[in-house]
Amino acid sequence: MTLFPAAFRSPHFTPALLFVNTCGSFLLLVSLSTHVGSVTGSGLLAGAVLSAPWLPALLLAAPLNRLLARRAPERLIRLAEPASLLLTAAALAAPGPALLAVATGLVLARGFFEAVTRSATAVVLRGTVPPERLDRANTIAEIGKLTGLSVGAALAGPAGSVLSLRGLIAVNVATLALSAVLAWALPGSAGPAAAGAKAEGGAPADTRLRVEDPVVRRLFARFLLVAFWQGFHTVAVTVIPLHLLAGGTRLVGVFVAMSALAIFAGSLAALPAQQYLDRVPSAFWAVLPMPPLLAAVLIGRTAPTLVLYALFLVLFEVAFVHFNNRLLAAASAEELSSVVTLRATLLPSGVAVSILVMGALCDLAGPVPAALVVAVVTFLVTAATGGTRQIWRRTVPDA
């Protein structure tokens, strides 16, 4: 079945697909988390619902890697999106008393298919976009994904006040139907995953989940710094306004809104900044967010802290885009499936671990020592992964 003639298929549909996919998913996810929290009164259960979609990809990392290594990525997306659609539509048939439990099971069960879509789109771009335009394409795809996440989360509150849980699921069914159609607009990939399970000479391709290239390993270490920062930010967005600034829930709301705008602005700023990101050492982008973060918590006054923390988040997002693009571009054809699989599993698991560690540290010592730990870890990891000349598509300065 062909919904789009080959002449109309383009990798430029990737951002739209990711926007629709994440917008609908996070609209339901945030609404469901809020609903679970209000029904049970448990913040832990509400948080568990928010993290549920990432658990299947983490547990099934090896099968995900084999799929990406052996199957054409655009075909995987064309299967994953309808699978999510069917699961979500089936939840509409659940009786009222069981709907909450079914919906919670739904976001957990379809997490694997969401990981397939978000990993396979990176492989599609790698296989269809010219190398000189790959950074820009990856950045625009990240903007599409982040915009969908932000819009879906922002709409969760208003939508939850006018729609029942069944109505929210129906909205997600509609967005998944659109993303399933958009999946057919993606072109066939010439990338390694589209080549099948055979390597050169007809030998079976190595589908073990591992990365042996030392350059890519160093990039992964720096990429996981982003997970560490994200974990701190998840805790700090509440702790800083309540404890450091001695504000109330209204200030928390202001802090959350400011944070969302700053991260979105950072992703947009990364697009025109692409031509400059590789002109300085990679280490520069790892340590650049630290001075405004430290200044924000050390000053401890509402207006300056808001401005400086917003600057930290903008630089945070630019650094994420930089490391994400380098990671995807530096991966060899043989290791690309492992790289995108690890990216889809290590980042959320790193965020989860960081949330626990940073949350405990903030409770015991406060946000200032926690921010100092973030800065120290960042400098140590950056120093430990430096000193290697990185070769990827073109020679770039020392890390």
Side-chain angles (χ1 to χ4, degrees):
M1 178 180 178
T2 302
L3 300 181
F4 287 82
F8 293 98
R9 296 179 192 171
S10 170
H12 298 305
F13 283 104
T14 302
L17 188 153
L18 290 172
F19 170 81
V20 173
N21 177 280
T22 56
C23 182
S25 295
F26 275 84
L27 171 63
L28 178 60
L29 184 63
V30 174
S31 300
L32 182 61
S33 173
T34 303
H35 193 59
V36 167
S38 63
V39 169
T40 64
S42 171
L44 178 61
L45 288 177
V49 171
L50 279 176
S51 61
W54 285 273
L55 183 61
L58 184 61
L59 296 177
L60 299 173
L64 175 59
N65 180 55
R66 287 194 292 270
L67 282 174
L68 292 168
R70 294 174 174 173
R71 299 289 183 264
E74 72 281 359
R75 293 181 182 176
L76 291 176
I77 300 169
R78 291 169 191 166
L79 291 174
E81 289 304 287
S84 292
L85 172 61
L86 289 174
L87 279 174
T88 309
L92 290 173
L99 185 60
L100 181 59
V102 169
T104 304
L106 162 68
V107 297
L108 178 64
R110 75 181 190 190
F112 181 76
F113 299 113
E114 293 177 350
V116 169
T117 291
R118 292 165 195 173
S119 299
T121 49
V123 183
V124 168
L125 291 176
R126 171 71 178 266
T128 58
V129 175
E132 65 274 9
R133 289 163 44 198
L134 185 58
D135 280 354
R136 181 178 178 84
N138 282 328
T139 302
I140 294 175
E142 284 298 322
I143 291 173
K145 182 168 66 176
L146 179 64
T147 305
L149 185 155
S150 301
V151 171
L155 290 176
S161 64
V162 297
L163 293 175
S164 64
L165 179 57
R166 198 178 300 275
L168 292 167
I169 295 174
V171 170
N172 194 196
V173 168
T175 60
L176 284 169
L178 179 55
S179 63
V181 172
L182 287 171
W184 285 91
L186 298 180
S189 173
K198 297 290 184 180
E200 279 188 31
D206 186 355
T207 58
R208 286 175 291 180
L209 185 59
R210 64 180 184 179
V211 174
E212 296 183 344
D213 187 337
V215 170
V216 178
R217 287 184 176 184
R218 288 182 171 89
L219 283 171
F220 248 122
R222 292 185 179 176
F223 183 72
L224 288 177
L225 278 175
V226 177
F228 187 51
W229 300 343
Q230 180 62 53
F232 168 78
H233 168 63
T234 303
V235 175
V237 77
T238 301
V239 172
I240 287 179
L242 287 180
H243 301 292
L244 182 67
L245 302 179
T249 55
R250 184 174 182 180
L251 184 58
V252 172
V254 171
F255 213 84
V256 170
M258 175 277 299
S259 299
L261 289 174
I263 292 175
F264 184 62
S267 66
L268 293 179
L271 187 58
Q274 283 301 305
Q275 57 182 319
Y276 306 108
L277 292 181
D278 298 329
R279 295 184 181 181
V280 296
S282 173
F284 176 79
W285 299 109
V287 300
L288 187 61
M290 293 301 102
L293 171 62
L294 293 176
V297 297
L298 290 173
I299 289 175
R301 295 198 305 271
T302 301
T305 295
L306 281 170
V307 172
L308 288 167
Y309 196 83
L311 178 59
F312 158 68
L313 291 176
V314 169
L315 297 175
F316 169 141
E317 188 63 24
V318 172
F320 167 73
V321 169
H322 172 68
F323 292 133
N324 182 63
N325 290 349
R326 276 202 163 191
L327 192 60
L328 292 175
S332 66
E334 294 77 13
E335 292 188 339
L336 181 58
S337 62
S338 291
V339 166
V340 296
T341 300
L342 290 171
R343 187 185 67 145
T345 55
L346 288 182
L347 187 64
S349 59
V351 172
V353 171
S354 179
I355 289 172
L356 294 175
V357 173
M358 288 293 101
L361 185 57
C362 284
D363 287 346
L364 294 173
V368 175
L372 290 173
V373 169
V374 170
V376 169
V377 170
T378 297
F379 286 120
L380 290 177
V381 171
T382 303
T385 55
T388 298
R389 180 169 294 277
Q390 298 181 12
I391 308 298
W392 60 297
R393 295 204 315 268
R394 56 187 181 275
T395 301
V396 295
D398 287 345

